Amino acid sequence: DVKVTQSSRYLVKRTGEKVFLECVQDMDHENMFWYRQDPGLGLRLIYFSYDVKMKEKGDIPEGYSVSREKKERFSLILESASTNQTSMYLCASSSAGESSYNEQFFGPGTRLTVL
Amino acid sequence: AQTVTQSQPEMSVQEAETVTLSCTYDTSESNYYLFWYKQPPSRQMILVIRQEAYKQQNATENRFSVNFQKAAKSFSLKISDSQLGDTAMYFCAFMKGETSYDKVIFGPGTSLSVIP
């Protein structure tokens, strides 16, 4: 089974802190994604990566950066956390293969609270 | 830009009954994929069912089936013989068919409660 893990289920940080959210997948997937999930808004794409050291902005990249130094790991960085970044953060991965059916596999999520 | 709408924020159904979740989308693309994802309480989101736009036949996965109306841009999910484990948030999603890393556009979700 595909497994996507995230470093923390719950995280509480102070305004202005630098925050790192880590995501690791074990299926050798090429594509990795970071979403934030807010009630009534569904999932919104922050950043994605289709290869090591490659990154592309999603719909809401402001205030975030990402890093992908290894294929299996994709990190989301909040340079200076703000209260409006309090949210659920979901990581996902998918294969680039034609047989992948474009399915994304999700991690359990990190609920971040910024005080 | 593509958009996905789910007009039912919350729904409930009696155990063993059938329920239909609605989804509409807006796109000018001719080739695309549609998905229903399920997010149980405090558990990981998983894919329920997938439909390729070029296929006229509606997708089916056990108790889950879709009614895909391409001209109407409608993609509803029918759950038959509802079970307590079907209680979850359900997200309808759209993806263009050009590359494997095309953005997936998610709807706002429908919270489904299955009542014993």
Side-chain angles (χ1 to χ4, degrees):
Chain A
D1 282 350
V2 175
K3 194 169 185 181
V4 181
T5 58
Q6 296 183 227
S7 50
S8 305
R9 290 301 302 270
Y10 300 94
L11 207 54
V12 180
K13 295 292 182 181
R14 297 279 180 191
T15 300
E17 281 192 80
K18 192 169 186 176
V19 181
F20 293 88
L21 303 182
E22 301 282 331
C23 175
V24 178
Q25 50 93 5
D26 66 358
M27 278 300 290
D28 201 36
H29 281 171
E30 292 79 9
N31 307 322
M32 297 190 74
F33 309 83
W34 274 107
Y35 296 92
R36 65 177 280 175
Q37 180 180 3
D38 299 290
L41 297 178
L43 279 68
R44 292 178 292 167
L45 182 64
I46 304 172
Y47 268 97
F48 68 96
S49 168
Y50 55 87
D51 201 352
V52 175
K53 296 191 184 296
M54 303 301 290
K55 60 184 179 183
E56 295 285 342
K57 292 180 180 179
D59 296 318
I60 51 166
E62 296 79 18
Y64 304 94
S65 62
V66 291
S67 172
R68 194 168 181 199
E69 297 296 319
K70 294 184 178 181
K71 190 174 185 179
E72 67 272 17
R73 188 179 298 270
F74 192 36
S75 301
L76 179 69
I77 303 154
L78 287 65
E79 294 289 343
S80 177
S82 63
T83 55
N84 62 13
Q85 293 179 309
T86 291
S87 186
M88 171 70 86
Y89 290 88
L90 296 178
C91 175
S93 71
S94 70
S95 171
E98 290 185 5
S99 62
S100 70
Y101 304 111
N102 299 310
E103 178 181 358
Q104 294 195 3
F105 295 86
F106 286 84
T110 295
R111 186 165 294 282
L112 172 68
T113 300
V114 182
L115 302 176
Chain B
Q2 291 83 12
T3 58
V4 177
T5 302
Q6 294 177 250
S7 59
Q8 305 147 316
E10 296 181 358
M11 294 188 72
S12 62
V13 62
Q14 292 291 135
E15 197 174 4
E17 297 294 308
T18 295
V19 64
T20 298
L21 280 58
S22 301
C23 172
T24 58
Y25 59 94
D26 187 24
T27 185
S28 58
E29 303 288 335
S30 58
N31 183 32
Y32 51 89
Y33 301 90
L34 295 164
F35 309 86
W36 278 99
Y37 281 89
K38 169 186 177 181
Q39 186 180 40
S42 301
R43 292 178 60 189
Q44 287 169 248
M45 191 171 316
I46 57 172
L47 180 66
V48 174
I49 201 164
R50 171 185 184 271
Q51 175 83 41
E52 293 94 332
Y54 64 86
K55 289 187 177 179
Q56 292 186 343
Q57 187 172 4
N58 288 325
T60 299
E61 288 288 342
N62 300 316
R63 297 182 295 106
F64 298 87
S65 61
V66 297
N67 183 4
F68 173 48
Q69 302 288 329
K70 191 171 184 179
K73 297 180 182 176
S74 171
F75 183 61
S76 60
L77 174 70
K78 186 172 82 170
I79 306 174
S80 303
D81 185 26
S82 297
Q83 300 175 0
L84 295 179
D86 295 334
T87 291
M89 279 291 292
Y90 287 83
F91 293 95
C92 179
F94 167 98
M95 178 181 178
K96 289 194 299 184
E98 294 175 358
T99 71
S100 67
Y101 52 85
D102 275 332
K103 284 194 303 184
V104 178
I105 310 299
F106 288 86
T110 295
S111 178
L112 177 68
S113 298
V114 179
I115 302 167

